[in-house]
Amino acid sequence: VQLQASGGGLVQAGGSLRLSCAASGFTLNRPAIGWFRQAPGQEREAVACLSTNNEITYVPDFVKGRFTIFRGEAKNVVYLQMDNLRPEDTAVYYCGTDLGQASSYALCHGRPTEWGQGTLVTVSS
């Protein structure tokens, strides 16, 4: 099982970035999958999760309306579209999944068992 995250970079406040998570070694449309982030000195937190059936997403209030998670036409890739970025969004972003979890809400409130390597997002003010 491998998750490959990419798309991070430096962006000015108010700008946008799209992160990609490519999966191999398992069927991506089976388990829920999510994006998480960790800023220096802080706990890792969930920012968006997508359920097994692609119809239910969970996005916490602090990014709601700015972050969107969706699956691409290539079913093994899941994206995180981040708009209106703020300096406090600066963090390393990870994609994660739990092969036994179908619920986006449960994944975002639990802890993935599989992680990608992380991609750094830096938002300048």
Side-chain angles (χ1 to χ4, degrees):
V1 174
Q2 282 194 322
L3 298 173
Q4 183 76 27
S6 62
L10 174 64
V11 64
Q12 288 189 329
S16 298
L17 279 176
R18 179 176 291 183
L19 306 183
S20 302
C21 177
S24 60
F26 68 99
T27 304
L28 189 56
N29 66 350
R30 295 296 301 273
I33 189 163
W35 285 96
F36 302 76
R37 69 185 184 187
Q38 188 167 20
Q42 297 189 19
E43 297 286 323
R44 193 171 296 190
E45 62 183 356
V47 296
C49 292
L50 179 69
S51 68
T52 296
N53 62 10
N54 284 353
E55 294 178 356
I56 300 173
T57 62
Y58 174 78
V59 179
D61 288 343
F62 61 87
V63 296
K64 191 169 290 184
R66 300 190 300 120
F67 289 14
T68 305
I69 185 171
F70 61 98
R71 193 183 306 277
E73 290 189 6
K75 298 300 182 183
N76 66 324
V77 181
V78 171
Y79 299 95
L80 180 69
Q81 177 67 37
M82 304 185 294
D83 299 315
N84 191 22
L85 283 161
R86 304 167 181 170
E88 55 264 39
D89 294 319
T90 295
V92 178
Y93 284 71
Y94 301 86
C95 55
T97 189
D98 179 340
L99 299 183
Q101 182 56 258
S103 163
S104 56
Y105 182 90
L107 181 66
C108 266
H109 286 81
R111 183 169 178 83
T113 58
E114 311 290 338
W115 292 100
Q117 84 286 3
T119 185
L120 176 63
V121 173
T122 304
V123 185
S124 63
S125 57

